[in-house]
Amino acid sequence: MKITASHTNPDNSRNADAIIFQYRSAANKMIETVIFLLVTVFPLILHDSYYDILETKYCFYTLCILILSGAMLLLAFYMAGIHRKSLPGVPAKALLSRLHPGSWKKNFCAADAMVLGFWLTAVISTLQSRFPYEAFWGNEGRYSGLFLLTLYVVSYFLISRFWFLNGRLFDVFLASGMILCLFGITDYFQMDILHFRKDSPASMASFTSTLGNINTYTAYVGMLLGLSAALFALEKNLKKSIWYYACFIVSLTAIILGRSDNAYLSLAAVFIFLPFVLFSDKKGRWKYLFLVTTFFTALKMIRIADVRFADRTFGLFGLFQVISNLKVLSVLAPVLWVLTVTLGFYCWKHPKKETLKKHRTITYTYIWAALILTAFLLICLLLFDANKSGQEEKYAALGSYLIFNDRWGSGRGYIWKKSLWLYSHLTPMGKLFGCGPDTFGCLVSQTILLQMQNDTGMFFDNAHNSFLQYLVTIGLLGLAFYLLFLGASFVRLFRNRTRSPYIAGALLAVICYVSQSLVNLDLPIVTPVMWLLISMGMAGSTPTGHPHPVSSPVCPSPGKAIPESSNRHNKRR
């Protein structure tokens, strides 16, 4: 909305700029405070060991977002009061339209539309559910009902619209993450620094650090791994690069020692995605080789530690054990270090930036994409042969990964098939909107509970696949909006990755989380951090989200005029 001629008094314009600056500055500080709490206190907070970890983190997160939402609303009312006193001739609507330079309509992107569609679908799903109370609160599941989904969406818009990208908070996120990684590493060596296993060590074997279940822990560490890898690969400052590389080593060690097969998906996401960003110049290719070499070296060193302290560790298993036992690894790691040092020396001797021409960059990208597609097709071929040939024994240790049956993935094969069966028996309305957010367990209890207990001896209250979970609980429409939201966000972050390394870091961190969602469940222990990172990345991708405005040269009270030079400064922001 344009301010008409009667409202264009120079004093009014300057006072309006003062009000706008004060509002956006105060909003930014409040959001930064909440982000700081969510990346420091939230991952580390505990109450009664692991017994109430879900409830503790859920309450902390919801309290943070509710306080932030209320504070933002009160701030808006406060600034509206100042507006009425200082600018009686300017309509409030004209002032509000300038809170975000440009306009909300102009900055509204596809991801915003998709996340609103996702939320509206969740609302309809809750209203038409047979379990409306449980669908709203998620109290019969993992507290991921409409209430928590609403807080995710609210936090997304508050952070992406009113926060200015500040890389220091990403560094703080990594720093606090290193603490919980170190707890996890020491748990692998059964040091029990937190003293959570002294009463019931056997039952606590699958819990670690300050995040509980090893799958939940691995999902969080996967985001740390993705963020630190991207920042190390893209950072040009030497001191910062050393810090990010140290974070990468710690998070890499932690995710390997996490004893969860989910780690393979995050590692695959890191090493598949990075070439699309790094292969445009020789230094990027060197850093990628550096990271690959570090991975194989870490595996070898962990294997040595496993042998040396065999009586104190849980021991590697699965693919990590297979790879670390390969004799060729003793040769491969040194060879890779020779290649890394050689290429690094070449980059040092020829420091002039060598950026590939556009057509060559596209060629490298196509070649890498072709290699990934070929690898994917080979995996599909192996899966087909393992499940249809009837020669399961020839796949030896890989059989547990390639042969899909009810026991696959600790019972995931069974619950995935039952999830599809449950979805197929929903009403047409249920197929569109699901049975209600986080009411999977309620649906199971009323349909296949006895059969499930007879077949497995267990009760699954979750599909153990985020996408299947949304399909059953929020329906095909809800799943479609969620996938479109992720896709639109990824595209926007990727296109704006050159604005700041933190945008690419947030993108890769979220990709690592989403990759694990294929075999994991969304919990208010980790999922809030995924929404936080995607919101922070989107904030940096908006026209006013970067760079971070530290302060205004002059910020008088709204009743006083702002000097012309300062007024121009604020308009540029």
Side-chain angles (χ1 to χ4, degrees), residues 126-147:
T126 301
L127 294 175
Q128 60 88 48
S129 174
R130 285 186 289 166
F131 325 101
Y133 182 85
E134 292 80 1
F136 182 81
W137 293 110
N139 57 302
E140 291 297 324
R142 311 300 173 95
Y143 300 105
S144 297
L146 177 63
F147 176 68

Side-chain angles (χ1 to χ4, degrees), residues 228-277:
S228 58
L231 293 179
F232 167 73
L234 298 172
E235 182 57 58
K236 293 178 173 59
N237 181 278
L238 179 59
K239 290 183 179 179
K240 283 189 174 183
S241 292
I242 294 172
W243 159 242
Y244 296 138
Y245 182 65
C247 292
F248 175 78
I249 292 176
V250 174
S251 56
L252 176 64
T253 303
I255 205 169
I256 293 174
L257 301 183
R259 298 176 292 119
S260 171
D261 289 329
N262 299 1
Y264 313 143
L265 297 172
S266 286
L267 285 166
V270 168
F271 291 114
I272 287 172
F273 172 78
L274 278 179
F276 292 106
V277 177

Side-chain angles (χ1 to χ4, degrees), residues 213-223 255 258 260 262-263 266 516:
N213 186 274
I214 55 175
N215 294 325
T216 307
Y217 167 77
T218 304
Y220 193 98
V221 176
M223 290 189 282
I255 205 169
S260 171
N262 299 1
S266 286
Q516 289 199 42

Side-chain angles (χ1 to χ4, degrees), residues 113-126 128 149 423 426-437 466-486:
M114 294 305 105
V115 78
L116 282 177
F118 172 71
W119 178 75
L120 287 172
T121 305
V123 171
I124 297 172
S125 176
T126 301
Q128 60 88 48
L149 296 180
Y423 178 76
L426 292 174
T427 64
M429 189 74 168
K431 284 184 170 67
L432 268 182
F433 297 103
C435 61
S466 295
F467 307 113
L468 274 179
Q469 175 80 3
Y470 282 139
L471 178 66
V472 176
T473 58
I474 311 182
L476 183 62
L477 203 58
L479 175 61
F481 275 123
Y482 180 67
L483 292 174
L484 288 171
F485 163 63
L486 292 176

